[in-house]
Amino acid sequence: MDFLTDILNYLSGLGASFMHWAMNLYYDIEVCFSRNIDMDTLLTVYWFLFLVEFPRYYLLEIFLSIRYAILKPQRRLLDEKARMVLFAENPLVSILVPGKNEGKHIYTLVMSLREQTYKNYEIIVIDDGSDDSTPFICRDLERDGYIDKYLRMEERGGKASAANLGANFARGKYIVHLDADSSLDRDAIEKIIIPFYIDKRVKAVGGCVKIRNPKETICTSLQALEYLKTIMVGRIVTSEMGIYHIISGAFGAFDSETLRQVGYWDIGPGLDGDITQKIRKAGHKIVFANEAICLTNAPTTWYRLYKQRRRWSRSLIRFRVRKHIDILIPNRNWRFINWLSNMESIFFDCICNYMWFYYLIGLIFTYTEGLLEIFVVGWLIRLCFAVIAFSIIMLLTERKREEFFLIKYLPLSTFYTGYFLRITRLIGYTMEFFFFNSYRDDWNPRKTSVWAQVERN
């Protein structure tokens, strides 16, 4: 009851703060519109914000996040029971770490693994043809017993190929896939394995990825805020709805037998989205483990971030629209929940991006004289939405003190998510739709991309 009281008090304070903010926002809007546009046109001008973005990315998240917070005591009981079963069974967990030229990160990752509360694991590092100090560092770590097996591919085969090599040597009941430049909270391994013991239908679990270097540049700070919104909150919501559709390659856990049945990872870029689709199509359940925390380094420059997100955007077209199009077509193995999972992603992440571009062009040509005022008020509305989103983040995160400093980046986040990311995604989607650019991306070796082109046939 004390926990529920705290929740109600928090929501009450949140409501009062929001009303104060909303009144100030209303005043700003009224002043800004007083010359050229009256308040009656607000919904007409900002239909995209109120009819598309707010219902999906804010209203739905408010409802499901509050429900998630209220049910926290119940989940704690289930977690504790599952944890007891996990430690009683004590299954071997195989941790795969594929990567190229990751020598400078391997030691940090291995040290975070040695501090894990769950001890029965093996570490398999797969070197994807590195030409830096990775072989020397990993052989020393293997000799000293810090890692269990070091596998080297003399010729680069790509991340999926490296992960498959490691999986063939893995002996564990569960396989955890990690990026080499990541590190884990002390209880992350047990937290990501526990869902397998809560529901036997679960065959894959995604971990919660957060930014390790949030204070390095403005670019990384905005990414840290974005990760909290889209990965932590966003994947809690999609997991609660049963439509969680991508396990991050940085931190994910899989039932070994299920991985073998679906044929492990297919070669080519976008391996995290692809393997998730394959497991869903096999009829298995996938969930998100919010408290299994993985920290990863974010790109520090805008150009590197642009290249990363453009590559991620291509994967949506390549896998959801092209390779796994059968999920959207009713057939013998068709399942509504898989259809909904893919359609939600395709509609809101892709189609709505093109709708936004059409909306933006319409604003420019329709309200030429009052364009500056329209963009200022649009920024204010987005800022209000950002405050709502940040309140949800603070309700759900376990690191309120460490992450509260990100509140000062809310004014900039509206430009980052509202323009930079949207334009980047549009470029990625368009280039993949018409030019199949993912098959020529140097992130993946040329030979595997050529082989993967059979997907196009």
Short mmCIF file of all heavy atoms in Angstrom, two decimals, residues 291-320:
data_model
loop_
_atom_site.label_atom_id
_atom_site.label_comp_id
_atom_site.label_asym_id
_atom_site.label_seq_id
_atom_site.Cartn_x
_atom_site.Cartn_y
_atom_site.Cartn_z
N GLU A 291 15.01 -4.01 -16.52
CA GLU A 291 16.01 -3.85 -15.48
C GLU A 291 17.33 -4.54 -15.80
O GLU A 291 18.26 -4.52 -14.99
CB GLU A 291 15.45 -4.36 -14.14
CG GLU A 291 14.27 -3.53 -13.65
CD GLU A 291 13.75 -4.01 -12.31
OE1 GLU A 291 14.28 -5.02 -11.79
OE2 GLU A 291 12.80 -3.39 -11.80
N ALA A 292 17.42 -5.17 -16.97
CA ALA A 292 18.69 -5.76 -17.42
C ALA A 292 19.43 -4.68 -18.20
O ALA A 292 19.20 -4.48 -19.39
CB ALA A 292 18.44 -6.98 -18.28
N ILE A 293 20.33 -3.97 -17.52
CA ILE A 293 20.92 -2.75 -18.08
C ILE A 293 22.26 -3.02 -18.74
O ILE A 293 23.16 -3.62 -18.15
CB ILE A 293 21.10 -1.68 -16.99
CG1 ILE A 293 19.78 -1.42 -16.26
CG2 ILE A 293 21.65 -0.39 -17.60
CD1 ILE A 293 18.69 -0.87 -17.11
N CYS A 294 22.37 -2.56 -19.97
CA CYS A 294 23.62 -2.60 -20.73
C CYS A 294 24.00 -1.18 -21.11
O CYS A 294 23.15 -0.40 -21.56
CB CYS A 294 23.44 -3.45 -21.99
SG CYS A 294 24.78 -3.35 -23.18
N LEU A 295 25.25 -0.82 -20.92
CA LEU A 295 25.74 0.51 -21.29
C LEU A 295 26.59 0.39 -22.55
O LEU A 295 27.43 -0.51 -22.67
CB LEU A 295 26.56 1.12 -20.16
CG LEU A 295 25.84 1.32 -18.83
CD1 LEU A 295 26.80 1.89 -17.79
CD2 LEU A 295 24.63 2.23 -18.99
N THR A 296 26.37 1.30 -23.49
CA THR A 296 27.12 1.26 -24.74
C THR A 296 27.55 2.66 -25.12
O THR A 296 26.93 3.65 -24.72
CB THR A 296 26.27 0.64 -25.87
OG1 THR A 296 27.07 0.43 -27.02
CG2 THR A 296 25.11 1.55 -26.24
N ASN A 297 28.62 2.75 -25.88
CA ASN A 297 29.11 4.05 -26.34
C ASN A 297 28.29 4.54 -27.52
O ASN A 297 28.03 3.79 -28.47
CB ASN A 297 30.58 3.95 -26.75
CG ASN A 297 31.50 3.82 -25.56
OD1 ASN A 297 31.25 4.39 -24.49
ND2 ASN A 297 32.56 3.05 -25.71
N ALA A 298 27.89 5.80 -27.47
CA ALA A 298 27.13 6.41 -28.57
C ALA A 298 28.07 7.20 -29.47
O ALA A 298 29.12 7.68 -29.02
CB ALA A 298 26.06 7.34 -28.00
N PRO A 299 27.74 7.33 -30.75
CA PRO A 299 28.54 8.18 -31.64
C PRO A 299 28.65 9.59 -31.08
O PRO A 299 27.68 10.15 -30.58
CB PRO A 299 27.74 8.16 -32.95
CG PRO A 299 26.95 6.90 -32.90
CD PRO A 299 26.62 6.68 -31.45
N THR A 300 29.83 10.15 -31.18
CA THR A 300 30.08 11.48 -30.58
C THR A 300 29.93 12.62 -31.57
O THR A 300 29.92 13.78 -31.17
CB THR A 300 31.49 11.53 -29.97
OG1 THR A 300 32.45 11.21 -30.99
CG2 THR A 300 31.62 10.53 -28.83
N THR A 301 29.84 12.31 -32.85
CA THR A 301 29.69 13.36 -33.87
C THR A 301 28.41 13.14 -34.64
O THR A 301 27.90 12.01 -34.75
CB THR A 301 30.88 13.35 -34.85
OG1 THR A 301 30.87 12.12 -35.60
CG2 THR A 301 32.20 13.48 -34.10
N TRP A 302 27.90 14.22 -35.23
CA TRP A 302 26.63 14.15 -35.93
C TRP A 302 26.74 13.31 -37.21
O TRP A 302 25.79 12.61 -37.57
CB TRP A 302 26.14 15.56 -36.27
CG TRP A 302 25.76 16.32 -35.05
CD1 TRP A 302 26.45 17.35 -34.46
CD2 TRP A 302 24.60 16.11 -34.23
NE1 TRP A 302 25.79 17.79 -33.33
CE2 TRP A 302 24.65 17.05 -33.17
CE3 TRP A 302 23.52 15.22 -34.30
CZ2 TRP A 302 23.68 17.12 -32.18
CZ3 TRP A 302 22.54 15.30 -33.31
CH2 TRP A 302 22.63 16.24 -32.27
N TYR A 303 27.88 13.37 -37.87
CA TYR A 303 28.02 12.59 -39.10
C TYR A 303 28.03 11.10 -38.81
O TYR A 303 27.39 10.31 -39.51
CB TYR A 303 29.30 13.00 -39.84
CG TYR A 303 29.48 12.23 -41.14
CD1 TYR A 303 28.60 12.41 -42.20
CD2 TYR A 303 30.51 11.30 -41.27
CE1 TYR A 303 28.74 11.70 -43.38
CE2 TYR A 303 30.66 10.58 -42.46
CZ TYR A 303 29.77 10.78 -43.50
OH TYR A 303 29.92 10.06 -44.66
N ARG A 304 28.76 10.67 -37.77
CA ARG A 304 28.78 9.26 -37.40
C ARG A 304 27.39 8.79 -36.97
O ARG A 304 26.97 7.68 -37.29
CB ARG A 304 29.79 9.01 -36.29
CG ARG A 304 31.24 9.10 -36.73
CD ARG A 304 32.18 8.89 -35.57
NE ARG A 304 31.96 7.60 -34.94
CZ ARG A 304 32.38 7.28 -33.72
NH1 ARG A 304 33.04 8.18 -33.00
NH2 ARG A 304 32.15 6.08 -33.22
N LEU A 305 26.68 9.65 -36.26
CA LEU A 305 25.32 9.31 -35.84
C LEU A 305 24.40 9.19 -37.06
O LEU A 305 23.58 8.27 -37.15
CB LEU A 305 24.79 10.37 -34.88
CG LEU A 305 23.33 10.21 -34.44
CD1 LEU A 305 23.14 8.90 -33.68
CD2 LEU A 305 22.90 11.39 -33.57
N TYR A 306 24.56 10.12 -37.99
CA TYR A 306 23.76 10.08 -39.22
C TYR A 306 23.98 8.77 -39.97
O TYR A 306 23.02 8.12 -40.40
CB TYR A 306 24.12 11.27 -40.11
CG TYR A 306 23.65 11.13 -41.54
CD1 TYR A 306 22.30 11.31 -41.87
CD2 TYR A 306 24.54 10.81 -42.56
CE1 TYR A 306 21.87 11.18 -43.17
CE2 TYR A 306 24.12 10.67 -43.87
CZ TYR A 306 22.78 10.85 -44.17
OH TYR A 306 22.35 10.71 -45.46
N LYS A 307 25.23 8.32 -40.12
CA LYS A 307 25.53 7.08 -40.81
C LYS A 307 24.93 5.87 -40.08
O LYS A 307 24.38 4.96 -40.69
CB LYS A 307 27.04 6.91 -40.95
CG LYS A 307 27.70 7.85 -41.93
CD LYS A 307 29.20 7.55 -42.06
CE LYS A 307 29.45 6.19 -42.66
NZ LYS A 307 30.89 5.93 -42.85
N GLN A 308 25.02 5.89 -38.73
CA GLN A 308 24.46 4.79 -37.94
C GLN A 308 22.95 4.69 -38.13
O GLN A 308 22.40 3.61 -38.40
CB GLN A 308 24.79 4.99 -36.46
CG GLN A 308 24.25 3.91 -35.55
CD GLN A 308 24.23 4.33 -34.09
OE1 GLN A 308 23.48 5.23 -33.70
NE2 GLN A 308 25.07 3.69 -33.28
N ARG A 309 22.25 5.82 -37.99
CA ARG A 309 20.79 5.79 -38.06
C ARG A 309 20.29 5.54 -39.48
O ARG A 309 19.22 4.95 -39.66
CB ARG A 309 20.21 7.08 -37.51
CG ARG A 309 20.56 7.32 -36.05
CD ARG A 309 20.27 6.05 -35.23
NE ARG A 309 20.71 6.19 -33.88
CZ ARG A 309 19.98 6.74 -32.90
NH1 ARG A 309 18.79 7.20 -33.17
NH2 ARG A 309 20.47 6.81 -31.67
N ARG A 310 21.04 5.98 -40.45
CA ARG A 310 20.66 5.68 -41.84
C ARG A 310 20.74 4.17 -42.09
O ARG A 310 19.87 3.60 -42.74
CB ARG A 310 21.60 6.43 -42.78
CG ARG A 310 21.19 6.36 -44.25
CD ARG A 310 22.20 7.10 -45.11
NE ARG A 310 23.52 6.51 -44.97
CZ ARG A 310 24.62 7.04 -45.53
NH1 ARG A 310 24.55 8.17 -46.22
NH2 ARG A 310 25.80 6.44 -45.36
N ARG A 311 21.76 3.53 -41.51
CA ARG A 311 21.89 2.08 -41.64
C ARG A 311 20.75 1.37 -40.93
O ARG A 311 20.17 0.41 -41.45
CB ARG A 311 23.24 1.62 -41.07
CG ARG A 311 23.52 0.14 -41.29
CD ARG A 311 24.86 -0.28 -40.73
NE ARG A 311 24.83 -0.41 -39.28
CZ ARG A 311 25.50 0.36 -38.44
NH1 ARG A 311 26.27 1.34 -38.91
NH2 ARG A 311 25.42 0.18 -37.13
N TRP A 312 20.42 1.84 -39.71
CA TRP A 312 19.31 1.24 -38.98
C TRP A 312 18.00 1.36 -39.76
O TRP A 312 17.18 0.44 -39.78
CB TRP A 312 19.16 1.90 -37.61
CG TRP A 312 20.26 1.60 -36.65
CD1 TRP A 312 21.39 0.85 -36.88
CD2 TRP A 312 20.36 2.03 -35.29
NE1 TRP A 312 22.18 0.80 -35.77
CE2 TRP A 312 21.59 1.51 -34.77
CE3 TRP A 312 19.57 2.81 -34.47
CZ2 TRP A 312 22.00 1.75 -33.46
CZ3 TRP A 312 19.97 3.06 -33.16
CH2 TRP A 312 21.17 2.52 -32.66
N SER A 313 17.80 2.51 -40.40
CA SER A 313 16.56 2.74 -41.16
C SER A 313 16.44 1.79 -42.33
O SER A 313 15.36 1.31 -42.66
CB SER A 313 16.51 4.19 -41.64
OG SER A 313 16.53 5.09 -40.56
N ARG A 314 17.58 1.52 -42.99
CA ARG A 314 17.55 0.58 -44.10
C ARG A 314 17.05 -0.80 -43.66
O ARG A 314 16.37 -1.49 -44.42
CB ARG A 314 18.95 0.44 -44.69
CG ARG A 314 19.47 1.68 -45.39
CD ARG A 314 20.95 1.51 -45.68
NE ARG A 314 21.52 2.68 -46.32
CZ ARG A 314 22.83 2.90 -46.42
NH1 ARG A 314 23.68 2.01 -45.92
NH2 ARG A 314 23.29 3.97 -47.02
N SER A 315 17.40 -1.17 -42.44
CA SER A 315 17.03 -2.50 -41.96
C SER A 315 15.52 -2.68 -41.88
O SER A 315 15.01 -3.77 -42.11
CB SER A 315 17.66 -2.75 -40.58
OG SER A 315 19.07 -2.79 -40.67
N LEU A 316 14.80 -1.61 -41.56
CA LEU A 316 13.34 -1.72 -41.48
C LEU A 316 12.77 -2.12 -42.84
O LEU A 316 11.92 -3.01 -42.94
CB LEU A 316 12.73 -0.41 -41.00
CG LEU A 316 11.21 -0.42 -40.80
CD1 LEU A 316 10.83 0.45 -39.60
CD2 LEU A 316 10.47 0.08 -42.03
N ILE A 317 13.25 -1.45 -43.89
CA ILE A 317 12.75 -1.76 -45.23
C ILE A 317 13.21 -3.15 -45.65
O ILE A 317 12.44 -3.95 -46.19
CB ILE A 317 13.23 -0.70 -46.24
CG1 ILE A 317 12.80 0.70 -45.78
CG2 ILE A 317 12.69 -1.02 -47.63
CD1 ILE A 317 11.32 0.87 -45.59
N ARG A 318 14.48 -3.43 -45.40
CA ARG A 318 15.04 -4.69 -45.87
C ARG A 318 14.36 -5.90 -45.25
O ARG A 318 14.08 -6.89 -45.93
CB ARG A 318 16.53 -4.72 -45.57
CG ARG A 318 17.19 -6.04 -45.93
CD ARG A 318 18.70 -5.96 -45.83
NE ARG A 318 19.30 -7.25 -46.07
CZ ARG A 318 20.60 -7.47 -46.21
NH1 ARG A 318 21.42 -6.43 -46.14
NH2 ARG A 318 21.08 -8.66 -46.42
N PHE A 319 14.06 -5.82 -43.95
CA PHE A 319 13.53 -7.00 -43.27
C PHE A 319 12.02 -6.99 -43.13
O PHE A 319 11.37 -7.99 -43.44
CB PHE A 319 14.20 -7.15 -41.91
CG PHE A 319 15.66 -7.47 -42.01
CD1 PHE A 319 16.62 -6.56 -41.63
CD2 PHE A 319 16.08 -8.68 -42.53
CE1 PHE A 319 17.97 -6.85 -41.76
CE2 PHE A 319 17.42 -8.99 -42.65
CZ PHE A 319 18.37 -8.06 -42.27
N ARG A 320 11.43 -5.90 -42.68
CA ARG A 320 9.98 -5.92 -42.44
C ARG A 320 9.17 -5.78 -43.72
O ARG A 320 8.11 -6.37 -43.85
CB ARG A 320 9.60 -4.83 -41.44
CG ARG A 320 10.08 -5.12 -40.04
CD ARG A 320 9.57 -4.08 -39.04
NE ARG A 320 9.99 -4.43 -37.70
CZ ARG A 320 11.19 -4.15 -37.20
NH1 ARG A 320 12.06 -3.49 -37.93
NH2 ARG A 320 11.51 -4.50 -35.97
#
